[in-house]
């Protein structure tokens, strides 16, 4: 340990010498009976705890802890996390200087204890003005392998990966949407452990490694979303993949109704997959067991229960294959009608509810680059001739929305204020002239941002949600009228209904004071990098 640690991050002059640090940690070890060892940039407390017999706790028992003050150590942290249950192992990431790196992993003995830790300690004020973030942590044992020849079969890919890497358990290959005899050009390789996957990634990642004469792309696969059993017990929607592009919703409904006529409420098909909604969960579960592996229009389908989105657990980032907080959009948008699925080892998820309203599901539109060869013919087009799934930002979606409704473009007005620590905070007010004379004269989110781009994006997101923009087209007769001018003869108008909106249950801090004497409601904590307040 270094001789002293000075806390300069919270404005106090607290100094603790290395001898004091060592004494505090020794006292903790003596009190708890746990061992402590430092290796590979982390300090491990426990793992296993004293008297432990049997294998380690199962997957799902570990939580990630972020935004830890750099001069805080196990003697202060362990007692806090013991409130949620018995700790199997506490791993604090360490700098060479002796400070911690601002994050840790805590493994409990049961999943229930880990979930309790998330509920009671996420956004916990660990020191005055210092709030930690706690979320689920999952060891990733799956790699994404791209640029695979499309004619290769699962068995060939599995054999090749076993030759070049160790610990391969399985390979997941999805058939092409347009030609079921070919793969989609990528696969997911499952390894026996996170360590085996990490070693394989290290070997394959340089970019010079080739399979069948092709340079492959390698990265961590996005881990499957964890949905609690209680939520899954209420799901009555099936996710059906590997459909033919030509298969219709009517055909799917008819096939799933065969085992029990009238059991299916509705079907929503997107490209080569679909969601089949049932009136009763019991019928959905029965249909899943009957229909999984059946052929529809010559394609062997896969059927599973659809996983609902959990908007409270959307911080994530690949950190050596671990899940940890990362700044993401507060609300994400997708074109339900036209999105192209390209998921890393997990099916598309169901729309969740925001304040009783359905929220759009995350986008799965392919985003990549293609080579631009000399002589390629280019055709000038208008952005408004594109489909909405060609846009990624809310700012572009709002512009597109206004154009399709034959409205004038949205008007953005920028405002700022200063926080008590001197930080400039920004917010945009948006006026849409076509609706400014109605019940809503302008749209302004109740959160401030530190960057101009985030402020504009957040304002556009807020406006779209308030307008209930959901990317589906419908006839003019089915719209809730905005005014008399919108209810007569406008083709392809996107639906609009005005409704109040408040943000989902993200962790909030106490009210913060501004330099000018006013206040900013409550601070929205998303991650260390987040710029929303």
């Amino acid at each position: 340990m270094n001789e002293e640690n000075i806390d300069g991050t919270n404005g106090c002059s607290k100094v603790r010498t290395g001898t004091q640090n060592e004494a505090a940690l020794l006292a903790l070890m003596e009190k708890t009976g746990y061992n402590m060892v430092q290796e590979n940039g982390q300090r491990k407390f426990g793992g296993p705890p004293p008297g432990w017999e049997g294998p380690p706790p199962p997957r799902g028992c570990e939580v990630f802890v972020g935004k830890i003050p750099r001069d805080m150590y196990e003697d202060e942290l362990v007692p806090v996390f013991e409130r949620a249950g018995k700790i199997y192992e506490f791993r604090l990431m360490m700098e060479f200087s002796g400070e911690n790196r601002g994050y840790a992993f805590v493994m409990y003995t049961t999943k229930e204890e880990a979930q309790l830790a998330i509920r009671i300690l996420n956004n916990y004020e660990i020191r005055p003005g210092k709030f930690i973030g706690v979320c689920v942590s999952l060891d990733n044992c799956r790699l994404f392998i791209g640029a695979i020849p499309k004619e290769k079969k699962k068995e060939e890919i599995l054999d090749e990966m076993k030759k070049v890497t160790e610990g391969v358990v399985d390979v997941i290959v999805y058939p092409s949407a347009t030609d079921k005899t070919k793969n989609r050009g990528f696969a997911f390789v499952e390894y026996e452990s996170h360590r085996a996957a990490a070693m394989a990634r290290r070997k394959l990642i340089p970019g010079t490694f080739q399979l069948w004469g092709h340079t492959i792309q390698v990265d961590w696969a996005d881990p499957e979303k964890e949905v609690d059993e209680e939520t899954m017990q209420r799901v009555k929607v099936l996710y059906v993949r590997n459909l033919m592009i030509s298969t219709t919703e009517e055909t799917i409904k008819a096939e799933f109704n065969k085992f029990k006529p009238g059991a299916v409420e509705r079907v929503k098909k997107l490209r080569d997959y679909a969601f089949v909604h049932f009136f009763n969960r019991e019928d959905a579960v029965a249909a899943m067991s009957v229909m999984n592996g059946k052929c529809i229009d010559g394609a062997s389908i896969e059927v599973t229960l659809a996983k609902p989105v959990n908007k409270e657990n959307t911080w994530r980032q690949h950190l050596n294959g671990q899940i940890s907080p990362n700044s993401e959009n507060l609300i994400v948008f997708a074109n339900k009608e036209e999105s192209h699925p390209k998921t890393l080892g997990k099916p598309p998820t169901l729309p969740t509810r925001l304040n009783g309203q359905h929220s759009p599901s995350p986008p799965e539109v392919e985003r990549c680059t293609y080579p631009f060869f000399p002589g390629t013919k280019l055709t000038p087009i208008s952005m408004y001739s594109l489909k909405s799934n060609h846009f990624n930002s809310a700012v572009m979606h709002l512009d597109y929305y206004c154009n399709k409704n034959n409205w004038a473009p949205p008007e953005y007005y920028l405002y700022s204020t200063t926080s008590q620590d001197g930080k400039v905070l920004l917010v945009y007010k948006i006026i849409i002239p076509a609706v400014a004379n109605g019940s809503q004269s302008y749209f302004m989110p109740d959160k401030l941002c530190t960057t101009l781009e985030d402020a504009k994006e957040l304002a556009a997101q807020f406006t779209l949600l308030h307008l209930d923009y959901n990317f589906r087209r419908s006839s003019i007769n089915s719209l809730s009228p905005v005014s008399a001018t919108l209810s007569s003869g406008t083709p392809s108008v996107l639906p609009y209904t005005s409704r109040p909106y408040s943000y989902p249950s993200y962790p909030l801090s106490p009210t913060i004071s501004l330099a000018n004497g006013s206040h900013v409601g409550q601070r929205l904590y998303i991650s260390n990098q987040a710029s929303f307040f």
Side-chain angles (χ1 to χ4, degrees), residues 156-212:
E156 296 176 271
I157 300 171
L158 179 61
D159 290 343
E160 194 68 19
M161 293 307 299
K162 284 183 175 180
K163 290 178 184 176
V164 298
T165 59
E166 297 180 359
V168 176
V169 175
D170 192 19
V171 168
I172 302 168
V173 182
Y174 297 126
S176 168
T178 55
D179 185 348
K180 299 301 181 184
T181 65
K182 296 182 178 180
N183 69 64
R184 296 193 180 187
F186 61 88
F188 301 97
V189 184
E190 192 79 23
Y191 288 86
E192 62 187 12
S193 66
H194 171 68
R195 176 177 174 78
M199 295 299 291
R201 179 176 179 268
R202 184 179 299 178
K203 180 178 180 179
L204 302 174
I205 200 67
T208 58
F209 199 90
Q210 292 189 341
L211 292 178
W212 304 289

Side-chain angles (χ1 to χ4, degrees), residues 206-489:
T208 58
F209 199 90
Q210 292 189 341
L211 292 178
W212 304 289
H214 292 254
T215 300
I216 59 172
Q217 302 166 359
V218 182
D219 204 349
W220 290 106
D222 285 347
E224 295 186 46
K225 288 183 173 66
E226 290 290 314
V227 181
D228 63 89
E229 292 183 11
E230 183 180 352
T231 300
M232 289 303 295
Q233 288 297 322
R234 298 194 297 267
V235 172
K236 52 183 181 180
V237 181
L238 297 182
Y239 168 64
V240 184
R241 72 175 309 142
N242 198 30
L243 293 162
M244 299 294 291
I245 294 290
S246 58
T247 299
T248 65
E249 293 178 353
E250 291 73 20
T251 298
I252 299 169
K253 186 173 183 179
E255 290 291 333
F256 277 81
N257 265 331
K258 281 183 179 179
F259 89 101
K260 184 178 179 181
V264 177
E265 178 186 1
R266 67 183 186 277
V267 174
K268 184 61 196 173
K269 181 174 183 283
L270 301 94
R271 198 169 169 81
D272 64 338
Y273 66 96
F275 293 106
V276 182
H277 298 250
F278 286 78
F279 289 104
N280 300 307
R281 173 180 166 77
E282 293 74 18
D283 293 337
V285 174
M288 178 175 63
S289 61
V290 171
M291 295 298 296
N292 188 38
K294 295 286 186 181
C295 282
I296 297 181
D297 290 344
S300 179
I301 62 172
E302 297 177 23
V303 185
T304 59
L305 286 171
K307 290 186 177 182
V309 173
N310 185 350
K311 284 293 180 181
E312 295 183 3
N313 292 329
T314 54
W315 344 337
R316 70 175 183 213
Q317 178 185 1
H318 296 288
L319 181 65
N320 297 326
Q322 300 278 359
I323 302 289
S324 64
N326 183 32
S327 173
E328 289 193 2
N329 289 343
L330 291 181
I331 301 99
V332 289
F333 299 92
N335 185 343
K336 296 180 184 178
E337 306 294 331
E338 300 152 356
S339 65
H340 176 87
K342 189 181 180 183
T343 56
L344 301 186
K346 59 180 183 292
T349 45
L350 288 175
T352 189
R353 285 182 175 268
L354 295 179
N355 307 306
Q357 300 290 334
H358 278 293
S359 158
S361 54
E364 305 198 53
V365 178
E366 182 180 19
R367 298 181 66 192
C368 57
T369 59
Y370 291 85
F372 181 25
F373 298 109
T376 300
K377 183 180 180 181
L378 298 177
T379 304
I381 63 170
S382 165
M383 62 170 277
Y384 302 113
S385 67
L386 299 172
K387 296 178 180 179
S388 60
N389 66 323
H390 287 99
F391 308 128
N392 185 57
S393 74
V395 173
M396 295 300 295
H397 275 292
L398 182 58
D399 192 281
Y400 178 87
Y401 175 89
C402 291
N403 178 269
K404 289 299 180 182
N405 279 298
N406 292 324
W407 297 347
E411 299 173 2
Y412 291 83
Y413 298 90
L414 182 63
Y415 296 87
S416 72
T417 188
T418 306
S419 65
Q420 200 168 32
D421 58 2
K423 186 175 294 183
V424 176
L425 305 178
L426 307 171
V427 66
Y428 268 100
K429 177 173 74 175
I430 296 179
I431 294 178
I432 299 178
V435 298
N437 296 326
S439 59
Q440 183 82 39
S441 59
Y442 66 88
F443 303 91
M444 181 183 286
D446 59 354
K447 300 291 180 285
L448 303 170
C449 300
T450 56
T451 69
L452 191 68
E453 294 85 355
D454 287 344
K456 194 168 187 179
E457 182 74 4
L458 183 63
Q461 289 181 357
F462 176 85
T463 304
L464 287 168
L465 279 170
H466 198 96
L467 295 174
D468 201 20
Y469 175 50
N470 59 10
F471 299 152
R472 69 179 183 273
R473 295 173 182 266
S474 60
S475 66
I476 189 66
N477 295 328
S478 66
L479 299 180
S480 300
V482 178
S483 65
T485 60
L486 293 180
S487 59
S488 57

Side-chain angles (χ1 to χ4, degrees), residues 126-159:
I126 197 81
R127 279 184 182 166
K130 300 294 180 181
F131 298 84
I132 57 174
V134 182
C135 65
V136 69
S137 167
L138 295 176
D139 284 336
N140 199 347
C141 300
R142 182 177 294 176
L143 294 183
F144 168 81
I145 310 295
I148 291 176
K150 293 187 177 182
E151 68 275 6
K152 295 298 179 182
K153 305 298 182 184
K154 175 178 177 175
E155 293 74 19
E156 296 176 271
I157 300 171
L158 179 61
D159 290 343

